[in-house]
Amino acid sequence: MVQVKAGPPEVRRGTPRLVLFMAAVAVVAVPILLFPYLLLDPDRSRIPVTGLHYALLVVHVLTAATALSLGVLQLVPRIRAHRVLHRRLGRVFLLVGVVAFGVTGIPLALSTPNGNVTRYGILVPAVGWLVCAALGWAAIRERRVRVHREWMIRTYALTFFAMTARMVVPLLIVVQMPLQEDRSPETVRDLVESTIPYGQWLGWVIDLAVAEYVIRRSRMSGSARFRGERT
């Protein structure tokens, strides 16, 4: 019997459209998010903080932007196929992610002056990121590749949630505007500020829901492929 050696599925398969979309968002959004903080001027901060809180915020933004950029590369099949590159990028992703969500994200969430909706809307995904990343790391240490991949998909979903929140908030405002009798600039500003915390919650909830859908689709296609090989 002649055996045909099949190449890795990551090489044969093109990059999913969802990954291309997230990469495009990252390319556009990361410079915009970074710019106010590269000058190290607290007056340019989008969040009114000073002193130690501002330092934490700058580190958080820089590391979160790096994790956002590196994480989407890890979802590209051709990059995953290069094990050495994939492993190195993954280690850097985990390192900057721990700083972004653990070292700086959790303290910023706990100390926010914007109330409990904002506090837990940031705290829950920050803690969730650490849990998913730890489970993904443990899985690959035990050579459970499929489980590792699933946990890292969830991890990146939580990395991306700030981008999703920024896309959801304008939609929520558009839905609410027809119900607003007073549309003065002050009222609209208050509406935006009150909507942002709920957009943050929806951001990571939507991302995790999409991640679970992708994971389930992957499991189903894997099972179908396995059944086909057996027949």
Side-chain angles (χ1 to χ4, degrees), residues 93-148:
F93 169 76
L94 289 175
L95 177 61
V96 296
V98 167
V99 175
F101 295 95
V103 177
T104 60
I106 290 177
L108 287 170
L110 293 174
S111 60
T112 180
N114 296 327
N116 285 333
V117 177
T118 296
R119 178 172 294 107
Y120 292 107
I122 300 173
L123 183 61
V124 171
V127 173
W129 192 99
L130 297 174
V131 172
C132 291
L135 291 171
W137 172 261
I140 200 61
R141 296 284 291 181
E142 298 170 358
R143 300 186 183 279
R144 294 182 295 153
V145 177
R146 182 184 61 81
V147 176
H148 163 75

Side-chain angles (χ1 to χ4, degrees), residues 101 121-122 125 157-166 200 203-204 207:
F101 295 95
I122 300 173
L158 293 172
T159 307
F160 197 80
F161 96 92
M163 299 298 99
T164 305
R166 284 170 170 79
Q200 290 170 334
W204 60 264
D207 282 3

Side-chain angles (χ1 to χ4, degrees), residues 3 15 30 39 41 44 54 60 64 87 90 98 105 108 120 127 137 147 153 160 164 181 183 188 207-208 217 219 228:
Q3 294 183 350
T15 303
V30 165
L39 302 176
D41 183 358
R44 293 177 177 268
Y54 178 71
H60 171 74
R87 190 181 301 118
V98 167
L108 287 170
Y120 292 107
V127 173
W137 172 261
V147 176
I153 288 174
F160 197 80
T164 305
E181 296 182 0
R183 299 184 183 179
V188 173
D207 282 3
L208 283 181
R217 282 283 302 271
R219 288 176 182 172

